[in-house]
Amino acid sequence: MSQSIARSGTRHEVIAKNSMSPLEAIDVAYDRIEAERDRNCWIHVRPRDEAREECRRFMARARAGESLPLLGIPFGVKDNIDVAGMPTTAGCPAFSYIPWHSARSVERLVAAGAICLGKTNLDQFATGLSGARSPYGSCASVADARYVSGGSSSGSAVAVAAGHVAFALGTDTGGSGRIPAGFNGIVGIKPTLGLVSSRGLVPNCPTLDCVSVFCNTITDGEAVLDVIEGFDPEDPHSRSPQDLSGGRVGPWFRFGRIAAANVECFGMPECGELYERACERLSQAGGTPIEIDFAPFRETGELMFNGPWVSERRSAIAALIEIEAPPLLEVTGAVLKSALGYSAVDAFGAIHSLYRLRRDAEKIFAGIDVLMVPTAPRPFTLEEMHRDPITLNNRLGYYSYFANLLDLCGVAIPNATLSNGMPMGVTLLAPAWQDRALIGLARQIEGKCSSAAFELKSRA
């Protein structure tokens, strides 16, 4: 049975209105988690008393005058990101370990007073975009339990959309921080590669991995990004700080769009109609639409999982676990096995192609301020995904696979709802280090594309 995303009592609106104390908000979060275990969005939840005690310590520090901008805000962490004292499984029970130290992004959030409630479900080893590749159960969209939630950061998105936590960390290699946001009617922020430290992440494709943020409004996401961003000399993939102001997008801007005839929806034309409506709203918000050649982006996306970058994924996971052993799901093993078909010659050929495609993308962005694409082509049911897990999974990444390969930042925002009740989002993309300009534009049009009303408030 379908379930409305905007049902009363979600979104942690109690925190937004400051109508409850941090301790009461923690209890509300746990009550919701316990009442909805069938969502399969949590792998590990820390004891309630432990979270309450940490919250009390933070409250005492705040009373003593310490600035804790996220005091008492509950959040979740995708289970391929380390949290000290909590098991990290990456969706593979045989891989489980308990780290001594949290990932750098988690350390920063806790230092700001946020309360981590536990670890969220994911496609095994972050290999997938469906949310249906986990031994801990499939995650369905909060809008309709028949449909996929999107992955691999499925649990994080569902936990936010269901109102279990105010925000959650995910990761994004080929769309994992955007696809689940689109299918659950929330916001997903994918930063520039290296803007947020990846220290403490279970590697997937280390050169393309980044921490992402799921939240209910752009304001929430920027507040979280303000806390977790920053150069980390201990992370070899962290990049030296750049000018993040990126200039503000003014009231009049140019946005790239895909020509209506070229919008790929894989047999569900209504999804294309919703994209057209988003383009119309963006025009009404001051944007001048520029039809772009999507071919360079499509060709780049094909390199991600139909090219040798899957070999980096196999290399990273093989360093952690015996990938031919039974603990891996069959579909995970099949994806990693495909890497054996690529040679070093193939890898260098793909790298050379990528350099050409990056130049093509640079030329396109020289004529636009932002590119808007559907977050995903269309939703699929869990039944469809289980029947054809590789083909349909790759179709989900049609509009997302290329972003990290082309060094883009992105913000996924809600757009509209299909007649079947499933939300369909759009994603705004811009070149690296344009994060703040992109967030500013997303905030400018947020009210026109979404009815979300939650706003994260400082308790400092």
Side-chain angles (χ1 to χ4, degrees), residues 15 22 54-55 57-63 65-75 102-116 167 169 220 222-229 456-460:
I15 299 174
E54 182 175 54
C55 190
R57 292 196 298 270
F58 286 154
M59 292 169 68
R61 287 163 52 186
R63 286 193 296 269
E66 185 174 347
S67 176
L68 297 172
L70 300 182
L71 175 62
I73 302 296
F75 72 103
S102 293
R104 183 61 179 145
S105 53
V106 175
E107 289 178 341
R108 286 176 174 263
L109 289 169
V110 173
I115 310 291
C116 178
F167 70 91
L169 295 185
D220 297 354
E222 187 170 28
V224 174
L225 187 62
D226 284 343
V227 170
I228 65 175
E229 71 180 9
L456 194 70
K457 299 293 186 181
S458 168
R459 289 186 175 274

Side-chain angles (χ1 to χ4, degrees), residues 381-392:
T381 66
L382 283 164
E383 181 182 356
E384 290 170 330
M385 187 61 62
H386 287 306
R387 197 163 55 236
D388 192 359
I390 293 179
T391 300
L392 299 191

Side-chain angles (χ1 to χ4, degrees), residues 248-300:
R248 287 195 171 274
V249 177
W252 311 107
F253 56 91
R254 302 159 301 169
F255 70 94
R257 58 148 299 162
I258 304 168
N262 297 329
V263 175
E264 177 60 79
C265 299
F266 295 107
M268 191 176 282
E270 186 185 359
C271 296
E273 295 169 8
L274 296 191
Y275 175 67
E276 290 301 315
R277 290 187 212 167
C279 291
E280 291 171 6
R281 283 194 292 269
L282 204 53
S283 297
Q284 294 167 2
T288 299
I290 308 291
E291 288 191 357
I292 58 102
D293 178 10
F294 191 67
F297 301 98
R298 185 187 66 250
E299 291 174 29
T300 302

Side-chain angles (χ1 to χ4, degrees), residues 76-100:
V77 176
K78 183 178 180 179
D79 198 23
N80 63 340
I81 303 174
D82 285 345
V83 177
M86 297 187 195
T88 298
T89 73
C92 180
F95 174 71
S96 181
Y97 65 91
I98 297 180
W100 289 100

Side-chain angles (χ1 to χ4, degrees), residues 307-349:
W309 267 270
V310 73
S311 298
E312 183 185 11
R313 183 182 297 265
R314 181 184 174 93
S315 173
I317 295 176
L320 304 173
I321 193 171
E322 174 50 59
I323 61 178
E324 306 298 345
L328 287 186
L329 295 176
E330 182 179 353
V331 64
T332 310
V335 171
L336 298 177
K337 187 176 181 180
S338 70
L340 298 176
Y342 298 101
S343 67
V345 172
D346 295 325
F348 279 106

Side-chain angles (χ1 to χ4, degrees), residues 218-457:
I218 302 300
T219 299
D220 297 354
E222 187 170 28
V224 174
L225 187 62
D226 284 343
V227 170
I228 65 175
E229 71 180 9
F231 179 70
D232 179 4
E234 296 183 44
D235 171 20
H237 300 286
S238 186
R239 297 160 76 180
S240 298
Q242 302 286 321
D243 178 12
L244 292 174
S245 63
R248 287 195 171 274
V249 177
W252 311 107
F253 56 91
R254 302 159 301 169
F255 70 94
R257 58 148 299 162
I258 304 168
N262 297 329
V263 175
E264 177 60 79
C265 299
F266 295 107
M268 191 176 282
E270 186 185 359
C271 296
E273 295 169 8
L274 296 191
Y275 175 67
E276 290 301 315
R277 290 187 212 167
C279 291
E280 291 171 6
R281 283 194 292 269
L282 204 53
S283 297
Q284 294 167 2
T288 299
I290 308 291
E291 288 191 357
I292 58 102
D293 178 10
F294 191 67
F297 301 98
R298 185 187 66 250
E299 291 174 29
T300 302
E302 290 171 356
L303 294 175
M304 173 64 79
F305 288 115
N306 291 320
W309 267 270
V310 73
S311 298
E312 183 185 11
R313 183 182 297 265
R314 181 184 174 93
S315 173
I317 295 176
L320 304 173
I321 193 171
E322 174 50 59
I323 61 178
E324 306 298 345
L328 287 186
L329 295 176
E330 182 179 353
V331 64
T332 310
V335 171
L336 298 177
K337 187 176 181 180
S338 70
L340 298 176
Y342 298 101
S343 67
V345 172
D346 295 325
F348 279 106
I351 290 170
H352 299 159
S353 295
L354 179 59
Y355 273 71
R356 172 182 57 79
L357 292 164
R358 282 179 175 173
R359 186 55 49 86
D360 291 342
E362 287 171 3
K363 293 176 182 176
I364 291 172
F365 275 105
I368 59 176
D369 297 299
V370 63
L371 171 63
M372 185 170 73
V373 299
T375 298
R378 57 160 292 177
F380 293 103
T381 66
L382 283 164
E383 181 182 356
E384 290 170 330
M385 187 61 62
H386 287 306
R387 197 163 55 236
D388 192 359
I390 293 179
T391 300
L392 299 191
N393 182 90
N394 287 346
R395 287 181 179 177
L396 289 179
Y398 187 84
Y399 295 112
S400 67
Y401 278 158
F402 57 82
N404 283 343
L405 284 168
L406 293 178
D407 203 10
L408 307 178
C409 54
V411 179
I413 58 176
N415 174 33
T417 304
L418 291 166
S419 58
N420 64 12
M422 277 294 291
M424 288 292 291
V426 290
T427 296
L428 305 177
L429 296 159
W433 310 113
Q434 299 296 308
D435 302 72
R436 286 301 185 276
L438 196 63
I439 286 171
L441 177 60
R443 182 184 293 109
Q444 184 176 324
I445 65 173
E446 183 176 27
K448 296 178 174 62
C449 292
S450 169
S451 60
F454 173 82
E455 186 168 299
L456 194 70
K457 299 293 186 181

